[in-house]
Amino acid sequence: MPYAEVIGDPIAHSKSPLIHRFWLDAMGIAGEYRAERVSADGLKAYFESRREDDDWCGCNITIPHKETALDHVEDRGDVRGSIGAINCVLRAEDGALIGTNTDAAGFYAPISGLPLDGAHAAVIGAGGAARAVLFALSQVGIGRVTLFNRNALKAAGLLATFGIKGDAVPLDAPLPPVDLLVNASPLGMAGQPPLDLDLAPLPQDALVYDLVYAPLETPLLARARAREIDTIDGLEMLIGQAALAFELFFGVQPPRDRDDELRALLLR
């Protein structure tokens, strides 16, 4: 039976199996979607084993493998030269394992109607998810980005990579009055340190977007909502990128008209 899966370390928190199984059942597709914990040391062996498994359609990739997985698959779309990280690997018709990225489109979909050209954004993190966010923002003409990361030098390098004007600052730096705040780090995720950020400088018409979805109501979103600032939770991007991956794995678009039902399932 054909199957796909999500890999990462840790992986128990992932909601991807619920999402893909919901769509498989809804469409009557004979397939499976699994979760597989893969350590950094086991990444090479994982892809070698799946290369020999004709039932394997591909995988989604989560923390911490989005950058290093590029070393083990083909990069026919030059994702390394654009985003620099992958979150999806599919088996091509010729049997090759191809890396791609659906995070950027999944991130951008909920904010596609916003006037971001020339806007000022703050982004937390400098890993694979942050790369997808920065790539998307660079494509829509963001004016400036303040990039927060433990390693400010790495953050400065990312801004240069994507040709974005802005500042690279440490995590404890004060938040500027930005139009858009995006948490693209694991901070605030269950089992991770909290994201300690004072939202007082944010204007009332700002938007706070947290990519963390476990828990769904993060302290960051709770503080923003307490100030009646608009928010977007992590399920928006998760479902959006999953829909693109599902089509790559199983060859059909998932039933997005049932997103409300899917969200209710994920929130149980």
Side-chain angles (χ1 to χ4, degrees), residues 111-129:
I111 59 173
S112 59
L114 297 181
L116 293 176
D117 186 16
H120 186 183
V123 177
I124 315 297

Side-chain angles (χ1 to χ4, degrees), residues 19-20 22-24 26-27 29 239-248 250-259 262:
I19 295 172
H20 288 266
F22 173 84
W23 287 333
L24 288 168
M27 303 189 73
I29 296 174
I239 294 173
Q241 62 81 25
L244 297 168
F246 185 89
E247 185 173 359
L248 292 174
F250 300 107
V252 293
Q253 295 180 356
R256 296 301 303 276
D257 59 330
R258 297 181 63 177
D259 275 7
L262 176 56

Side-chain angles (χ1 to χ4, degrees), residues 63 65 101 107 171 184 204 210-211 217 245 262:
I63 296 171
H65 304 317
N101 192 300
F107 159 76
L171 287 174
Q204 199 61 41
D210 198 339
L211 306 192
E217 176 74 357
L262 176 56

Side-chain angles (χ1 to χ4, degrees), residues 114-191:
L114 297 181
L116 293 176
D117 186 16
H120 186 183
V123 177
I124 315 297
R131 282 179 169 271
V133 169
L134 293 171
F135 174 79
L137 293 178
S138 72
Q139 297 302 295
V140 298
I142 196 75
R144 190 172 190 83
V145 171
T146 300
L147 186 58
F148 290 74
N149 192 50
R150 290 187 181 90
N151 186 333
L153 186 62
K154 178 181 179 181
L158 278 186
L159 291 177
T161 295
F162 293 104
I164 297 175
K165 296 179 181 179
D167 304 289
V169 299
L171 287 174
D172 59 357
L175 179 67
V178 296
D179 306 294
L180 172 67
L181 168 61
V182 181
N183 179 29
S185 78
L187 296 175
M189 181 186 295

Side-chain angles (χ1 to χ4, degrees), residues 6-11 13-14 60-66 87 213:
V6 58
I7 65 170
D9 187 15
I11 199 60
H13 70 283
S14 177
N60 290 111
I61 301 170
T62 187
I63 296 171
H65 304 317
K66 291 188 177 186
N87 75 310
Y213 59 84

